[in-house]
Amino acid sequence: MADRGKTPTGTPTVTPTLTLANDAALSLLSRQDLVPDATRLVVVGTSPLRMALAEVAFPEAELVCADPGQSAALAMLEDKLRAMGRLDRLVLAGDGADSAAIFALMRVIVAFVPALRSAPGGSIHLAVRPGASVGALRQFLRRMQPTMDRQNIDVRLVVLTAVAN
């Protein structure tokens, strides 16, 4: 999703995309899912262990220690991302057995859909472990689908059947 253009001398240029990921995505998704080529990464979360791992695995990433399920944290994160440029991708993960975590994912999506609208080819990648709340997430995404389709936001939900530790 990098924006490719040309410099005045005719050499191709690549404008990095801006990806927001939660710390849970670090353990559930591959590096390629998190940061495809030419991506700036912002990782948000509250787990000290996952945030420390993010710092080691992605030294170029911007780390934001905040709970994205909280309104104040979402507002602060929105301001920070706006200052960094347009948001191109959301990469989020959670545990389908944890209804609060799934609800937090929904809140993040609602909060950042307006920012994704401004990005041509915006996308949302969700990876969740199985659990009772996956049905609620699917229903939420079905209701959001017309909006996502109108705004050309690609949404991908992957329900993981097995996670290697």
Side-chain angles (χ1 to χ4, degrees):
M1 273 193 253
D3 183 20
R4 298 182 189 279
K6 296 208 180 223
T7 65
T9 61
T11 40
T13 62
V14 176
T15 303
T17 59
L18 179 57
T19 298
L20 172 64
N22 65 350
D23 61 350
L26 299 172
S27 62
L28 295 180
L29 296 170
S30 71
R31 182 176 184 87
Q32 185 58 32
D33 285 331
L34 285 166
V35 287
D37 294 339
T39 296
R40 292 181 301 159
L41 178 64
V42 176
V43 178
V44 62
T46 58
S47 167
L49 176 61
R50 285 189 232 168
M51 295 303 277
L53 290 173
E55 189 172 27
V56 171
F58 304 101
E60 70 286 354
E62 170 100 20
L63 304 180
V64 179
C65 293
D67 181 354
Q70 301 297 318
S71 297
L74 279 175
M76 178 270 305
L77 190 56
E78 190 173 8
D79 288 344
K80 180 178 275 301
L81 290 173
R82 189 176 296 119
M84 295 177 77
R86 78 172 191 230
L87 180 64
D88 298 288
R89 302 177 67 232
L90 284 176
V91 180
L92 306 170
D95 185 352
D98 183 350
S99 60
I102 297 300
F103 183 70
L105 293 182
M106 292 181 211
R107 288 186 62 166
V108 171
I109 292 168
V110 168
F112 290 104
V113 161
L116 286 170
R117 285 183 199 167
S118 66
S123 68
I124 300 172
H125 183 126
L126 301 165
V128 295
R129 291 188 177 111
S133 296
V134 172
L137 179 59
R138 282 191 169 127
Q139 184 176 25
F140 166 79
L141 292 172
R142 271 194 302 274
R143 289 181 177 164
M144 292 289 295
Q145 196 61 52
T147 299
M148 304 297 190
D149 289 344
R150 276 192 309 276
Q151 303 302 328
N152 294 321
I153 299 171
D154 180 51
V155 179
R156 183 168 58 150
L157 170 63
V158 177
V159 180
L160 305 168
T161 54
V163 177
N165 289 327

